[in-house]
């Protein structure tokens, strides 16, 4: 470049912003063709019709791969034989206005529904993948030894592993629908997202013609027990746990909370339901530390345990709010979307004590039968503070939780000591 010439490069996530995409999105349309594909790849050019990038938080790692020369930025996925191993939908909820706003219900069917466009060279990518697997947990082996579960050779094998269908779902937000779900103005939502991400996506405030946003956050993993095609069949009993990620407990067995015990209890109940001819479902949401993150969670742990008098139920939520600014950032308003994606209108046995989750599902039109609490003997002694704090705060219905007497038997001391 010559010394007296100046180059002005406009860096945005949508080069050439302002050009209308030839693939307009009609969000609640009854078919994939009428709805249109979500096109959010960096090399899509004027075909792009969504803000953000595929892969959520992993898009940053993809950028590192490109920057380091390990990946061709123009590479496109070969989608042959990647289609779901079990068909999911379409279900009526997919086109019911406002029912699904945080994921693309057609996201697993891209190679099928938009084969012509892909063959033409349009870079359209799936946001949902469905496969089969087996899971193997020590708690399931313990349930077999205790006689609570018995291998049947189909759902639960003699080796102790459980057959499941699993699905991974990346978030795809329809901004008008998300704003309506939270009762805020869409422009307010767009500007707040723009400001709170340090201006990462300027199109949020400069492209009101783009209504779809792929946020850089974690998604959802589903584990389905039994026949996945029967999830929306009201005549087939369904046991479901909606679980929010807790890496310390879920993976490493930390005993300061009930997360892994409740997760594995839900898996046992889902397995039992599938063995009885019903279906089981675990919804695993990537919302670490009540969606505040693991760093914030560990800071809260320190603040709770170092305060005068030690860890106490009375200050459990106060300590969180002092560090994080909010007690809980999960909210749950968007959580029912995945239930609707599966075509579910009734959960017969809901393995959760959370009123926030229960209320969100009921408000979203999902009928709940029985609420299944965690057995008292699964509550780790160090987690009794959490349980008592949540009970006092109305986090769950006392009738659906282990009694104070039950917890005292497990902990060996009066809960008022915490």
């Amino acid at each position: 470049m010559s010394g007296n010439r100046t180059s002005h490069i406009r860096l945005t996530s949508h080069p050439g912003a302002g050009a209308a995409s030839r693939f307009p999105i009609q969000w609640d349309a009854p078919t994939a063709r009428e709805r249109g594909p979500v096109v959010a790849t960096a090399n899509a050019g004027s075909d792009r019709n969504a803000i953000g990038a595929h892969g959520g938080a992993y898009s940053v790692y993809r950028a590192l791969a490109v920057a380091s020369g390990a990946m061709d930025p123009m590479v496109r996925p070969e989608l042959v034989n990647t289609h779901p191993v079990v068909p999911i939908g379409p279900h009526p909820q997919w086109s019911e206005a406002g029912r699904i706003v945080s994921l693309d219900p057609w996201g697993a069917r891209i190679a099928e529904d938009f084969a012509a466009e892909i063959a033409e060279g349009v870079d359209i990518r799936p946001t949902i993948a469905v496969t089969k697997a087996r899971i193997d947990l020590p708690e399931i082996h313990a349930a077999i030894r205790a006689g609570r579960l018995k291998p049947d050779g189909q759902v639960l094998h003699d080796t102790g592993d459980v057959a499941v269908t699993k699905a991974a779902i990346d978030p795809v937000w329809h901004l008008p629908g998300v704003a309506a779900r939270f009762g805020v103005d869409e422009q307010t939502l767009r500007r707040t997202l723009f400001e709170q991400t340090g201006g990462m996506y300027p199109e949020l405030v400069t492209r009101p013609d783009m209504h779809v946003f792929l946020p850089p956050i974690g998604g959802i993993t589903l584990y389905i027990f039994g026949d996945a095609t029967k999830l929306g069949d009201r005549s087939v009993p369904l046991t479901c746990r909606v679980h929010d990620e807790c890496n310390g407990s879920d993976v490493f067995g930390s005993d300061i909370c009930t997360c892994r015990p409740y997760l594995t209890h839900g898996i046992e109940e889902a397995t039992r339901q599938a063995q009885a001819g019903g279906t089981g479902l675990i919804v695993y949401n990537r919302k670490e530390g009540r969606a505040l993150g693991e760093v914030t969670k560990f800071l809260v742990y320190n603040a709770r345990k170092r305060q005068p008098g030690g860890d106490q139920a009375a200050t459990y939520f106060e300590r969180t709010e002092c560090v994080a600014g909010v007690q809980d950032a999960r909210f749950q308003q968007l959580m029912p979307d995945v239930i609707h994606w599966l075509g579910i209108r009734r959960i017969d046995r809901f393995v959760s004590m959370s009123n926030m989750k229960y209320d969100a599902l009921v408000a979203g039109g999902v009928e709940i039968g029985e609420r299944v609490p965690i057995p008292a003997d699964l509550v780790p002694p160090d987690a009794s503070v959490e349980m008592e704090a949540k009970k006092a705060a109305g986090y769950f219905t006392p009738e659906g939780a282990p009694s104070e007497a039950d917890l005292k038997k497990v902990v060996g001391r009066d809960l008022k000591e915490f």
Side-chain angles (χ1 to χ4, degrees):
M1 184 177 295
S2 62
N4 59 1
R5 290 184 61 188
T6 302
S7 175
H8 296 283
I9 302 175
R10 184 168 183 255
L11 292 176
T12 78
S13 57
H14 303 283
S21 170
R22 59 180 172 142
F23 299 112
I25 294 177
Q26 304 297 326
W27 187 258
D28 292 317
T31 68
R33 303 297 309 175
E34 293 173 272
R35 203 290 306 275
V38 173
V39 185
T41 48
N43 56 17
S46 62
D47 287 337
R48 176 186 274 271
N49 59 12
I51 303 164
H54 284 289
Y58 294 102
S59 62
V60 177
Y61 288 101
R62 186 168 61 245
L64 286 177
V66 171
S68 65
M71 180 179 178
D72 180 352
M74 301 304 291
V75 71
R76 297 186 181 186
E78 173 55 74
L79 299 178
V80 174
N81 292 328
T82 63
H83 58 279
V85 297
V86 176
I88 303 292
H91 294 292
Q93 292 99 313
W94 292 16
S95 58
E96 292 176 4
R99 191 69 81 186
I100 298 176
V101 300
S102 62
L103 61 91
D104 177 5
W106 305 96
R109 301 163 47 100
I110 298 305
E112 173 186 348
D113 292 330
F114 300 107
E117 286 80 2
I118 292 173
E120 175 193 327
V122 182
D123 194 355
I124 307 171
R125 304 193 181 189
T127 55
I128 300 176
V130 184
T131 190
K132 282 186 176 292
R134 292 188 183 185
I135 59 174
D136 191 356
L137 299 172
E139 288 86 350
I140 295 298
H141 288 268
I144 293 173
R145 290 194 298 271
R148 297 195 306 272
L149 289 176
K150 295 181 179 180
D152 62 283
Q154 187 171 7
V155 176
L156 178 58
H157 296 268
D158 291 335
T159 54
D161 54 327
V162 186
V164 297
T165 300
K166 61 182 183 180
I169 303 173
D170 281 340
V172 178
W173 288 8
H174 182 239
L175 291 171
V178 172
R181 190 75 62 85
F182 280 86
V184 301
D185 175 73
E186 182 187 344
Q187 185 60 26
T188 300
L189 173 65
R190 285 174 176 265
R191 181 162 292 280
T192 305
L193 287 169
F194 167 73
E195 292 172 347
Q196 295 301 313
T197 58
M200 183 180 291
Y201 298 106
E203 290 74 21
L204 284 165
V205 289
T206 62
R207 292 296 302 273
D209 58 311
M210 285 188 171
H211 299 295
V212 175
F213 174 46
L214 279 62
I217 59 176
I220 304 169
T221 306
L222 304 179
Y223 290 85
I224 302 167
F225 302 72
D227 188 345
T229 65
K230 294 183 178 179
L231 280 173
D233 187 340
R234 291 174 66 99
S235 68
V236 179
L238 169 63
T239 291
C240 172
R241 170 155 180 80
V242 175
H243 188 90
D244 294 329
E245 178 183 26
C246 178
N247 183 64
S249 179
D250 297 344
V251 178
F252 295 101
S254 171
D255 66 352
I256 197 172
C257 63
T258 59
C259 294
R260 181 180 174 97
Y262 220 152
L263 174 61
T264 57
H265 175 58
I267 291 172
E268 180 177 335
E269 293 294 324
T271 301
R272 185 177 295 109
Q273 186 73 83
Q275 287 184 305
T279 54
L281 173 65
I282 302 294
V283 178
Y284 195 88
N285 294 301
R286 292 314 194 285
K287 296 179 180 178
E288 179 64 63
R290 299 194 203 130
L292 298 169
E294 202 165 35
V295 169
T296 296
K297 181 167 71 171
F298 288 6
L299 294 174
V300 171
Y301 285 168
N302 288 345
R304 283 169 48 191
K305 291 177 177 294
R306 289 170 174 166
Q307 64 185 332
D311 200 6
Q312 305 165 46
T315 57
Y316 178 89
F317 287 107
E318 177 189 338
R319 290 294 84 202
T320 301
E321 190 166 4
C322 285
V323 174
V326 65
Q327 293 182 2
D328 194 327
R330 291 172 297 176
F331 301 111
Q332 305 298 348
Q333 281 94 328
L334 301 177
M335 177 268 290
D337 289 20
V338 71
I339 302 297
H340 294 306
W341 178 67
L342 294 167
I344 297 168
R345 295 194 187 273
R346 174 181 169 83
I347 297 172
D348 297 276
R349 304 184 73 241
F350 186 48
V351 189
S352 172
M353 295 184 296
S354 168
N355 284 341
M356 290 175 66
K357 294 175 183 176
Y358 174 86
D359 292 344
L361 287 166
V362 172
V366 179
E367 182 183 349
I368 304 291
E370 177 187 2
R371 297 174 70 177
V372 182
I374 186 172
D377 60 358
L378 293 183
V379 179
D382 206 24
S384 57
V385 173
E386 172 200 43
M387 294 293 288
E388 186 65 11
K390 287 181 175 180
K391 183 185 293 186
Y395 187 86
F396 51 71
T397 303
E399 293 77 13
S403 68
E404 186 169 321
D406 286 340
L407 289 174
K408 183 178 178 181
K409 292 177 185 176
V410 177
V411 177
R413 338 178 226 168
D414 195 319
L415 290 174
K416 293 181 176 60
E417 295 179 28
F418 291 95

